[in-house]
Amino acid sequence: MRVLVLGSGAKDHAIAWWFSQSRLIDGLYVAPGNVGTKTIAVNLAIDPSDPEQVYEACQTYGIDFVFVGTEAPLFTGVIDFLNERGIDTFGAPNRALKLEGDRNFARMFSDRHNIPTSSHVLFDDEEKLSEYLKRHEGERFVVKSNAIAPSRIMVDSSDYSTLMDFSRGLLATGPIILEEHLNGLPITITLFLDNKGYLMLPTSSDYMKVEEGGLPTGGMGSICPVPLQKDLSQALVDSIIEPVLFGLKAEKMAYKGVLTISVIITKNGPILVDYHVRFNDPAAQAFVPLINTDIVDILDAMKHDTLSSLNLEVSNQSAVALVVASEGYPEKPIIGKKLESMPAPLLYNSFEGAPRYFFGGVQEYEGKLVTTGGRCVTVVGVGYNIMNANKNAYKGVKLVNFEGAWYRQDIGNRFFEN
């Protein structure tokens, strides 16, 4: 099998690395890729969101299968375009995209199928929003765009001026969602779906702010797996996973691909926050190194609707993913900074037992590694428990050096500190 992975972030590097471990592929390509994917695959200089360019690349390089794990190509119709032309794909088709692309629809979908979710109100008018906030003075809310947007495009506050100032910018482009603030443990559930069932990957917990209580970001770290009690794990299946899958079938949105569900574990049980019809970053970087099952075997089971009977082989170790970001991220990241040299075996993720390095906003220019975005490198430490994995991640991150580099100092701490 010859595989093309679409994307250029750390998540896409992790997925490509997973494919590179397969015994069942004989060609691996990434479009457009980055400096990390270059070490394990052939990078293609095409626009992954342009269906015609992707299809032409498939013809040129004899691609059998296209894997779309990132959002942009999904929302430009790449999946349907390729399927109509006989190219096998992994990713959500157009009919399922509104689950992520329209938050109000997603909330109503949850309500229709009795899935616990945060209370919310949709606004497209600044005056009505202002009146509502004044009536609920002092209450804490989360403001998000109703349409698909980077997860950092939100604010969580009880201050009227903060909420209004942020909302004005979003309202200029479309409606917003005002949600209640939820206290609890955030977890990320990742499911492979087929027509008859699902396969659940190890559950993670993501850190989505620059610091505790700070600005929201696209994600600064993740731990995997999350230590959950048996009754809580069953509650996730009974109150969220099974009703979601039933709803997808009932509303003719079921598909073969991945579904990621963001949940908050509150004192009243699990509450669904968001749906994503793709992998999440940095959750993917955390769980990929722990999975021993060949990804092609998983995709073959998906093709034949046997996912629910597949035995997923997962390491008994833990992973801590730590994101190294550029100065100024998430508001105005400063790019163009040179990375200091790293030992080649680490750069290529070929040293067994060492942390994994998945590259995002980094490219190679004239033989030098240079930052090109806000989140540059995800360092994943693996160990016999979360504390040990944490130590390995923070030891490994010392080898990622560029001017202005920073990262959170507390990833994983809440799971082993008293």
Side-chain angles (χ1 to χ4, degrees), residues 184-188 204-208 226 262-265 414-415:
L185 173 69
I187 67 168
T188 300
S204 65
S205 181
D206 298 345
Y207 292 69
M208 303 302 292
V226 180
S262 298
V263 174
I264 301 291
I265 304 297
R414 65 184 175 219
F415 293 94

Side-chain angles (χ1 to χ4, degrees), residues 6 88 145 152 183 205 216 270 309 327 342 361 375 392 410:
L6 300 183
D88 286 339
S145 168
R152 65 182 176 273
N183 288 313
S205 181
S309 61
E327 180 181 356
M342 292 176 60
R375 290 182 295 162
N392 290 335
D410 62 338

Side-chain angles (χ1 to χ4, degrees), residues 123-417:
F123 289 99
D124 59 8
D125 180 270
E126 181 180 329
E127 185 175 338
K128 291 181 179 179
L129 171 64
S130 176
E131 292 173 355
Y132 184 91
L133 290 175
K134 288 178 179 178
R135 290 199 305 271
H136 296 270
E137 184 178 0
E139 294 184 29
R140 189 170 173 181
F141 293 103
V142 178
V143 175
K144 302 176 182 177
S145 168
N146 185 56
I148 185 172
S151 52
R152 65 182 176 273
I153 306 299
M154 62 179 176
V155 74
D156 184 342
S157 178
S158 58
D159 179 69
Y160 169 84
S161 296
T162 299
L163 293 167
M164 284 302 302
D165 289 346
F166 183 79
S167 297
R168 286 189 188 98
L170 293 183
L171 285 167
T173 60
I176 65 163
I177 287 282
L178 186 72
E179 296 180 336
E180 67 172 321
H181 168 81
L182 296 172
N183 288 313
L185 173 69
I187 67 168
T188 300
I189 301 169
T190 307
L191 307 172
F192 280 109
L193 310 177
D194 64 20
N195 290 327
K196 293 184 178 179
Y198 67 92
L199 180 69
M200 186 173 176
L201 302 187
T203 302
S204 65
S205 181
D206 298 345
Y207 292 69
M208 303 302 292
K209 295 185 177 182
V210 297
E211 59 189 351
E212 187 66 31
L215 290 172
T217 75
M220 293 303 301
S222 184
I223 72 100
C224 184
V226 180
L228 297 176
Q229 295 180 346
K230 187 175 181 180
D231 59 343
L232 182 53
S233 296
Q234 190 61 47
L236 289 171
V237 173
D238 294 341
S239 66
I240 294 185
I241 295 175
E242 294 289 356
V244 167
L245 300 185
F246 175 85
L248 291 177
K249 290 181 179 179
E251 301 195 19
K252 295 181 171 55
M253 292 192 298
Y255 62 95
K256 295 185 178 184
V258 68
L259 175 65
T260 303
I261 306 173
S262 298
V263 174
I264 301 291
I265 304 297
T266 73
K267 62 181 181 181
N268 297 318
I271 306 294
L272 190 146
V273 177
D274 272 318
Y275 299 96
H276 302 280
V277 292
R278 53 181 170 85
F279 287 110
N280 273 20
D281 178 343
Q285 294 95 294
F287 66 65
V288 161
L290 300 180
I291 299 176
N292 296 325
T293 301
D294 193 311
I295 187 172
V296 177
D297 285 334
I298 296 175
L299 297 176
D300 185 63
M302 180 185 296
K303 182 176 181 179
H304 294 94
D305 294 321
T306 58
L307 276 176
S308 58
S309 61
L310 179 69
N311 179 33
L312 184 69
E313 296 180 11
V314 180
S315 167
N316 60 5
Q317 294 185 302
S318 296
V320 169
L322 176 60
V323 174
V324 184
S326 298
E327 180 181 356
Y329 176 78
E331 295 176 304
K332 294 181 179 179
I334 299 173
I335 64 175
K337 301 300 181 179
K338 178 185 174 184
L339 270 74
E340 294 181 9
S341 298
M342 292 176 60
L346 297 181
L347 182 65
Y348 299 159
N349 286 321
S350 59
F351 186 38
E352 192 65 34
R356 300 298 178 193
Y357 295 86
F358 296 124
F359 289 83
V362 178
Q363 291 290 356
E364 185 174 3
Y365 295 106
E366 299 178 352
K368 299 178 181 179
L369 303 185
V370 179
T371 64
T372 59
R375 290 182 295 162
C376 300
V377 185
T378 303
V379 183
V380 185
V382 176
Y384 54 82
N385 60 19
I386 295 172
M387 181 184 294
N388 183 243
N390 167 280
K391 290 180 179 179
N392 290 335
Y394 280 96
K395 183 178 179 180
V397 80
K398 294 178 181 178
L399 294 175
V400 181
N401 296 297
F402 57 90
E403 183 183 349
W406 66 274
Y407 47 88
R408 280 184 61 153
Q409 303 289 334
D410 62 338
I411 305 300
N413 290 5
R414 65 184 175 219
F415 293 94
F416 57 79
E417 289 184 343

Side-chain angles (χ1 to χ4, degrees), residues 15-178:
I15 293 168
W17 180 82
W18 192 3
F19 271 109
S20 75
Q21 307 303 298
S22 174
R23 69 192 190 284
L24 299 172
I25 66 170
D26 56 10
L28 181 59
Y29 301 82
V30 186
N34 60 36
V35 67
T37 61
K38 179 181 177 181
T39 65
I40 53 175
V42 177
N43 285 350
L44 303 181
I46 64 170
D47 180 357
S49 298
D50 185 323
E52 292 189 358
Q53 287 191 39
V54 175
Y55 178 68
E56 185 177 333
C58 291
Q59 298 296 100
T60 301
Y61 297 97
I63 304 297
D64 303 300
F65 189 89
V66 176
F67 191 101
V68 185
T70 194
E71 61 269 28
L74 295 176
F75 284 84
T76 56
V78 168
I79 291 293
D80 295 81
F81 188 89
L82 295 178
N83 288 344
E84 291 166 1
R85 288 156 180 78
I87 303 292
D88 286 339
T89 61
F90 174 95
N94 285 337
R95 66 178 183 275
L97 298 183
K98 56 187 175 181
L99 201 62
E100 177 172 353
D102 184 338
R103 282 193 165 102
N104 188 54
F105 170 85
R107 301 303 184 272
M108 293 190 295
F109 170 89
S110 297
D111 291 342
R112 286 194 295 274
H113 299 286
N114 298 314
I115 301 161
T117 189
S118 55
S119 62
H120 73 282
V121 186
L122 180 71
F123 289 99
D124 59 8
D125 180 270
E126 181 180 329
E127 185 175 338
K128 291 181 179 179
L129 171 64
S130 176
E131 292 173 355
Y132 184 91
L133 290 175
K134 288 178 179 178
R135 290 199 305 271
H136 296 270
E137 184 178 0
E139 294 184 29
R140 189 170 173 181
F141 293 103
V142 178
V143 175
K144 302 176 182 177
S145 168
N146 185 56
I148 185 172
S151 52
R152 65 182 176 273
I153 306 299
M154 62 179 176
V155 74
D156 184 342
S157 178
S158 58
D159 179 69
Y160 169 84
S161 296
T162 299
L163 293 167
M164 284 302 302
D165 289 346
F166 183 79
S167 297
R168 286 189 188 98
L170 293 183
L171 285 167
T173 60
I176 65 163
I177 287 282
L178 186 72

